[in-house]
Amino acid sequence: MILLIFPVFVEVRVSFNPLFNRGVIALFVFKINVVYYIVSFHDYYIQLENQKETKQQKLEFFSPQFAVLEEFGKQIKDKIRLKKLYVFYNIGTGDAFSSAMVCGALNQALTQLFLRLKGKKPTASFCVYDTVSYNKITCEMAGRMSVSISFFDVVYSFLISLILTKRK
């Protein structure tokens, strides 16, 4: 019973290369890899594959499952305690000037986002690691987010989101 109250430390790692339309999503709980998928997007579905299976999931933004997930996100966002949010990217357009301009604009946008998040989550740690490729065309992005949340909060938020979507 007491395990329901203690925080669970979760880390999500995401990377994506839009030039190759491939990325990876991994979920770690207490620094143990729980699940990972290689992700690619196609017309109206997303392809997820790992060592065991390959599956295709149709993207439906107006399905009942998506409504439950949307409500779950609203319920749980204030209960999550953000610890770290790191963004890594390597961008190059083939031209030095335009590469520098794109990366500068992206750094500015990420800094503004981090400032807003820092106002809401003052104990969190934010960082941007950027690499500018001046002479070649590349686009690689990655992120790492560490949060803590109690198991009770997850179950409670999920049950509330189920109840609220059934009423709608």
Side-chain angles (χ1 to χ4, degrees):
M1 186 67 169
I2 205 120
L3 292 175
L4 295 175
I5 301 169
F6 285 112
V8 176
F9 295 97
V10 178
E11 184 174 312
V12 178
R13 296 180 187 177
V14 178
S15 68
F16 191 71
N17 186 332
L19 297 177
F20 296 114
N21 190 23
R22 291 186 63 84
V24 175
I25 297 175
L27 177 70
F28 294 83
V29 177
F30 293 116
K31 301 204 183 243
I32 298 170
N33 189 355
V34 176
V35 65
Y36 83 94
Y37 283 105
I38 298 171
V39 178
S40 61
F41 295 98
H42 303 283
D43 292 329
Y44 294 105
Y45 64 91
I46 183 172
Q47 181 175 334
L48 304 169
E49 62 182 88
N50 61 12
Q51 290 178 340
K52 299 176 186 172
E53 64 182 338
T54 299
K55 58 183 175 180
Q56 295 179 351
Q57 181 69 39
K58 188 171 183 182
L59 296 173
E60 297 178 293
F61 294 108
F62 301 107
S63 66
Q65 293 91 356
F66 187 76
V68 171
L69 286 175
E70 185 178 22
E71 188 62 39
F72 178 68
K74 289 178 188 175
Q75 294 294 322
I76 206 165
K77 80 174 183 184
D78 292 331
K79 296 173 180 75
I80 289 178
R81 287 169 293 288
L82 183 63
K83 301 293 183 190
K84 299 177 189 171
L85 180 59
Y86 299 154
V87 175
F88 308 86
Y89 68 84
N90 181 8
I91 294 179
T93 61
D95 176 48
F97 177 75
S98 60
S99 295
M101 294 300 286
V102 167
C103 290
L106 187 56
N107 271 352
Q108 183 65 30
L110 287 171
T111 302
Q112 293 297 318
L113 173 71
F114 288 169
L115 285 172
R116 293 191 110 194
L117 288 172
K118 193 69 166 175
K120 295 177 183 173
K121 310 282 185 180
T123 60
S125 173
F126 301 100
C127 197
V128 176
Y129 297 98
D130 61 340
T131 305
V132 182
S133 296
Y134 294 107
N135 298 328
K136 64 180 181 176
I137 297 174
T138 184
C139 184
E140 300 166 345
M141 299 180 171
R144 185 173 136 192
M145 180 173 66
S146 298
V147 299
S148 67
I149 188 165
S150 70
F151 186 70
F152 176 77
D153 286 336
V154 173
V155 172
Y156 177 77
S157 297
F158 186 71
L159 290 176
I160 291 297
S161 64
L162 281 176
I163 293 168
L164 290 176
T165 53
K166 292 288 182 191
R167 286 185 183 172
K168 291 180 184 179

